[in-house]
Amino acid sequence: MDIEFDVKHGLEGVAVAISSISYVDGEKGELVYRGFKIEDLIENSTFEETSYLIWFGSLPNENELDFITTMLAKKRELPEEIVKMMNSFPKTSHPMEVLRSVVSLLGMFEKKDKSTFENAINLTAKIPTIIAYWYRIKNNLPLIHPRESLKHSENFLYMMFGSVPEHSSLFDKALILHAEQGMNASTFASTVTASTLSDIYSIITTAIGTLKGPLHGGANEKVLDMLEEIGNLENVEFYINDLINRKEKIMGFGHRIYKTYDPRAKILKNWIKDIFINKKIKYFEIALKVEEIVLNKFKEKKIYPNVDFYSGILYNYFGIPKDFFTPIFAMARIVGWTAHAMEYCKNNRIFRPKAIYNGPKNLKYKDVKGAE
């Protein structure tokens, strides 16, 4: 007699861990880090301070903030051997491929006796350098080495472009927005790796590989592809209708958890709108029109913009190429990934889900050599 099982494809709605790191209310459109609403953190915090909060569970005092800021600043530079290897990579390599490979390489160069937290700091400090160095190498530009005097976000923009642009504080806030989001695909994948008691470099390589997918972190790049293809306001309605008729996904819309407007998308949209008052932002008007049409067509299905829909427009404003959008996502989410890995391992149990077998069971072996 066949036994029936309740299979949850994609593990939707299945709890796999108990966590105090973040909370998402999909019905109300709320995101909370360690008890603090994201809107409050965006208004008052910095990426360094929020990172401390996510890692340790409370806001830092002055000495603790100085400690975390100093540690992140001092650990930015890459080993010379790795920089030499990066110079030998094919220039056609996608930045996410480079990031995944270099994080894995770092595991061979770093001391193995460090605590998980020390390694988390080390990777959080070095990921912006990996991204910025690859941008410079890919474009045949001389490397700009990190400056300890600059904030985490400012230093990244400085290493990319040689200066800290106007509205750089928004980039810092965008990192806060992307730092944590519960048990999403990349966090779950990295937590599975952590549950085997593997090293932090393997854990984060897993996370980066998962984030790379176009249905996860890679969606922000695909949004800009879509806006570029649309080209101008007059094409929006035809383009979106065509996607709907072909039953193709409209990138940047819908979320597994949020059944209302993603609060991160709302925040990003308002930032861009404020800049737009005084300076024209490429693709913003097209994006607003896309949102208007999609919301109108899917009123009943509760499909709203997610964080990917507007983040690419902001990054594009800073001059960041679209193939670097997802690495920047990783640059922020490294905090959440490492926090979940450390939290889960405090009460560790290796993940071992089951699959329901539905193949044949009574096949007879036939020697191929003896077949005529």
Side-chain angles (χ1 to χ4, degrees):
M1 183 176 70
D2 291 334
I3 301 174
E4 292 187 5
F5 293 93
D6 181 18
V7 178
K8 298 286 188 180
H9 286 287
L11 295 180
E12 185 167 1
V14 177
V16 296
I18 297 173
S19 177
S20 62
I21 297 171
S22 68
Y23 172 72
V24 179
D25 188 323
E27 296 298 328
K28 293 181 180 178
E30 291 182 353
L31 173 60
V32 175
Y33 294 173
R34 299 286 195 181
F36 293 91
K37 287 189 177 182
I38 193 65
E39 292 84 357
D40 194 13
L41 291 172
I42 290 300
E43 185 68 28
N44 300 294
S45 190
T46 63
F47 179 74
E48 287 90 339
E49 186 181 53
T50 300
S51 297
Y52 187 97
L53 169 69
I54 292 171
W55 280 325
F56 291 103
S58 61
L59 290 171
N61 60 34
E62 188 175 344
N63 289 335
E64 290 165 340
L65 181 58
D66 181 64
F67 165 77
I68 205 77
T69 302
T70 302
M71 288 286 286
L72 285 171
K74 287 184 176 297
K75 299 290 184 180
R76 288 169 178 162
E77 191 57 273
L78 298 176
E80 288 183 15
E81 298 91 335
I82 285 185
V83 178
K84 287 179 183 177
M85 282 188 268
M86 289 178 69
N87 274 286
S88 70
F89 291 169
K91 297 287 179 66
T92 54
S93 301
H94 192 283
M96 281 297 280
E97 296 171 339
V98 173
L99 183 60
R100 180 189 61 206
S101 300
V102 175
V103 167
S104 183
L105 284 170
L106 276 171
M108 292 186 280
F109 286 84
E110 300 298 325
K111 292 180 180 178
K112 298 296 188 294
D113 59 350
K114 290 181 178 179
S115 69
T116 304
F117 173 68
E118 287 177 298
N119 283 318
I121 284 275
N122 188 42
L123 274 174
T124 304
K126 283 180 169 56
I127 282 178
T129 307
I130 297 168
I131 300 166
Y133 277 12
W134 182 244
Y135 169 78
R136 307 291 294 184
I137 292 168
K138 185 181 178 72
N139 290 285
N140 299 309
L141 298 168
L143 298 185
I144 299 175
H145 294 279
R147 285 174 53 185
E148 290 185 19
S149 60
L150 294 174
K151 291 171 55 179
H152 189 76
S153 56
E154 291 174 340
N155 177 70
F156 170 73
L157 295 170
Y158 167 74
M159 286 192 296
M160 287 279 283
F161 307 119
S163 63
V164 180
E166 185 183 13
H167 303 300
S168 62
S169 62
L170 294 183
F171 186 78
D172 187 76
K173 294 176 185 296
L175 294 182
I176 296 173
L177 279 182
H178 287 85
E180 166 58 10
Q181 181 71 3
M183 197 57 68
N184 51 78
S186 56
T187 301
F188 175 61
S190 60
T191 306
V192 171
T193 303
S195 79
T196 71
L197 302 185
S198 189
D199 63 278
I200 196 72
Y201 298 92
S202 298
I203 292 166
I204 301 308
T205 301
T206 299
I208 292 168
T210 307
L211 187 73
K212 183 175 180 290
L215 293 184
H216 192 11
N220 52 19
E221 185 178 335
K222 296 299 180 184
V223 169
L224 207 69
D225 283 340
M226 177 181 73
L227 298 177
E228 287 175 345
E229 286 177 19
I230 292 172
N232 58 64
L233 284 170
E234 291 70 30
N235 296 336
V236 173
E237 190 156 13
F238 173 82
Y239 186 95
I240 297 301
N241 284 334
D242 184 54
L243 285 181
I244 294 169
N245 291 336
R246 288 188 282 118
K247 297 183 178 179
E248 292 192 15
K249 183 173 177 61
I250 303 170
M251 300 307 295
F253 283 85
H255 194 278
R256 186 69 69 87
I257 304 297
Y258 292 115
K259 303 307 176 188
T260 184
Y261 214 110
D262 184 332
R264 301 166 300 170
K266 189 181 296 183
I267 291 167
L268 285 162
K269 179 182 176 181
N270 288 334
W271 290 344
I272 299 167
K273 189 183 293 183
D274 287 343
I275 300 172
F276 191 77
I277 293 172
N278 298 311
K279 187 173 183 178
K280 194 172 182 67
I281 306 294
K282 197 172 185 181
Y283 304 121
F284 184 50
E285 289 179 301
I286 295 174
L288 291 176
K289 187 66 176 175
V290 169
E291 179 183 334
E292 177 189 323
I293 290 172
V294 173
L295 291 185
N296 186 55
K297 288 184 176 293
F298 295 101
K299 284 180 182 176
E300 305 302 320
K301 293 188 176 182
K302 296 184 178 180
I303 296 178
Y304 297 89
N306 58 44
V307 69
D308 297 310
F309 189 65
Y310 285 108
S311 62
I313 298 174
L314 181 67
Y315 298 154
N316 186 70
Y317 165 74
F318 285 114
I320 298 167
K322 63 185 176 183
D323 54 344
F324 284 79
F325 293 172
T326 311
I328 290 170
F329 197 150
M331 173 178 154
R333 189 56 61 85
I334 175 73
V335 177
W337 290 334
T338 50
H340 279 278
M342 290 186 284
E343 181 185 61
Y344 186 82
C345 287
K346 287 178 181 176
N347 187 28
N348 189 62
R349 185 168 176 79
I350 189 171
F351 281 95
R352 182 56 173 93
K354 66 165 63 177
I356 308 303
Y357 179 74
N358 67 349
K361 297 178 181 176
N362 298 305
L363 297 180
K364 300 298 181 184
Y365 178 78
K366 183 177 181 181
D367 191 346
V368 177
K369 295 177 183 177
E372 295 183 1

